[in-house]
Amino acid sequence: MRRIILFAALSLHTLTADAREAATEVVVSGGAAQIFKSTVTGSDAKSFLITSDAARAVTLKFAANNSICGVEVQTTGQHDYAKYAQFPITVPLATMINNSYKVSFFLTRSAWIGKQQCEFTLSVQ
């Protein structure tokens, strides 16, 4: 009986230990660029959820180390995504109300194996 309780407690602990960081929400309302600088380590990704208060053109600028970092952009209206690994890069988007873009920075496989860190800058305007 004690083994079952111990096994159940350990199982629950392993399920809750792998929580991911929530995406940072960015609302584009025109004006000055919003700039975010951060670091990705390990197998985690750093994500941003970009929405707009109106239909408008939005420009994303990515800066990072080409051999360490990767970024992917996915829209809520589509199931596919675009991957980028050559930086710096500027990506123009056409946003609509009730449509958002998820931008995720991650380590490349070789950087992850080498336990490196991805330092990046994201500019949203």
Side-chain angles (χ1 to χ4, degrees):
M1 180 65 143
R2 287 185 183 182
R3 286 185 181 173
I4 294 172
I5 293 172
L6 179 62
F7 178 73
L10 289 174
S11 296
L12 288 175
H13 176 69
T14 58
L15 289 176
T16 59
D18 195 28
R20 299 261 181 201
E21 181 180 342
T24 302
E25 293 186 31
V26 180
V27 177
V28 180
S29 58
Q34 300 177 58
I35 299 173
F36 303 91
K37 293 182 180 185
S38 191
T39 303
V40 177
T41 58
S43 62
D44 291 336
K46 178 71 175 171
S47 298
F48 299 86
L49 189 62
I50 300 170
T51 58
S52 179
D53 62 354
R56 71 175 76 237
V58 173
T59 302
L60 304 179
K61 293 181 182 178
F62 307 125
N65 186 310
N66 289 329
S67 63
I68 297 175
C69 305
V71 66
E72 60 186 34
V73 179
Q74 182 179 14
T75 179
T76 56
Q78 299 174 356
H79 294 290
D80 61 341
Y81 58 91
K83 272 191 175 178
Y84 302 97
Q86 296 295 314
F87 305 106
I89 189 168
T90 300
V91 178
L93 302 174
T95 62
M96 297 180 292
I97 297 174
N98 297 327
N99 194 15
S100 59
Y101 291 89
K102 183 177 182 181
V103 176
S104 299
F105 288 87
F106 55 90
L107 287 170
T108 62
R109 180 169 171 77
S110 60
W112 178 75
I113 290 171
K115 298 183 180 181
Q116 294 177 302
Q117 294 183 344
C118 167
E119 295 179 2
F120 66 87
T121 302
L122 167 65
S123 172
V124 181
Q125 184 172 22

